[in-house]
Amino acid sequence: MGKIVIKKTSNDGYHFTIVANNGQVVGVSQTYKSLKSAKNGIDSVKRNRNSYIEDQTVPDFEVLGFPKWQIFKDNAGDFRFRLVAMNGETVLAASEGYSRKESAIKGLESVRTNLEELNIVGPEE
């Protein structure tokens, strides 16, 4: 893993991305109203990185409480992951769909494993 990049959005909000060493964006956040809120979102991902995984791709999956990771299929039939915080809001989501569930899980696990080592780059207050 490479870094966490915070950027200002076109509507004067902020979002962050998790970028791998090869420059590929692995995960993207929601848009936050302030830089402080975006940094709090990063803290939430770090704090909740080891949450349980709810696999929504299997029949009769067990619905877990928050916070949790979710593995699911998108409208195109690709597998994705997302982290849902205690308040039920999606904090981080896969930046792309994966053709195989194992690849989506590998991306999720990569985020979990490498998160603490990532440097944060972007605008300062």
Side-chain angles (χ1 to χ4, degrees):
M1 279 285 161
K3 57 191 169 187
I4 299 173
V5 179
I6 303 174
K7 290 185 179 179
K8 194 164 190 168
T9 63
S10 60
N11 62 351
D12 289 328
Y14 293 87
H15 78 277
F16 61 89
T17 57
I18 296 180
V19 182
N21 282 334
N22 64 3
Q24 180 180 1
V25 176
V26 179
V28 296
S29 75
Q30 62 175 294
T31 299
Y32 295 92
K33 292 182 181 179
S34 70
L35 180 59
K36 182 179 179 184
S37 295
K39 289 181 177 181
N40 287 342
I42 293 168
D43 289 340
S44 177
V45 174
K46 288 182 176 183
R47 193 172 47 254
N48 296 307
R49 74 180 184 279
N50 291 321
S51 297
Y52 291 107
I53 300 172
E54 179 181 274
D55 186 351
Q56 298 180 348
T57 67
V58 296
D60 301 320
F61 67 89
E62 180 184 358
V63 176
L64 303 174
F66 301 118
K68 62 185 168 185
W69 289 97
Q70 294 174 323
I71 297 287
F72 64 99
K73 273 193 161 184
D74 64 17
N75 291 336
D78 289 333
F79 294 92
R80 292 185 175 264
F81 64 84
R82 64 183 161 221
L83 176 62
V84 184
M86 283 297 295
N87 63 3
E89 294 287 323
T90 298
V91 182
L92 184 76
S95 61
E96 66 178 48
Y98 297 88
S99 59
R100 295 178 38 236
K101 180 165 73 170
E102 295 77 17
S103 298
I105 292 170
K106 185 177 176 183
L108 182 160
E109 291 298 342
S110 179
V111 170
R112 281 173 130 176
T113 303
N114 297 297
L115 198 57
E116 285 301 318
E117 301 170 13
L118 301 180
N119 291 324
I120 299 172
V121 297
E124 293 298 321
E125 294 179 279

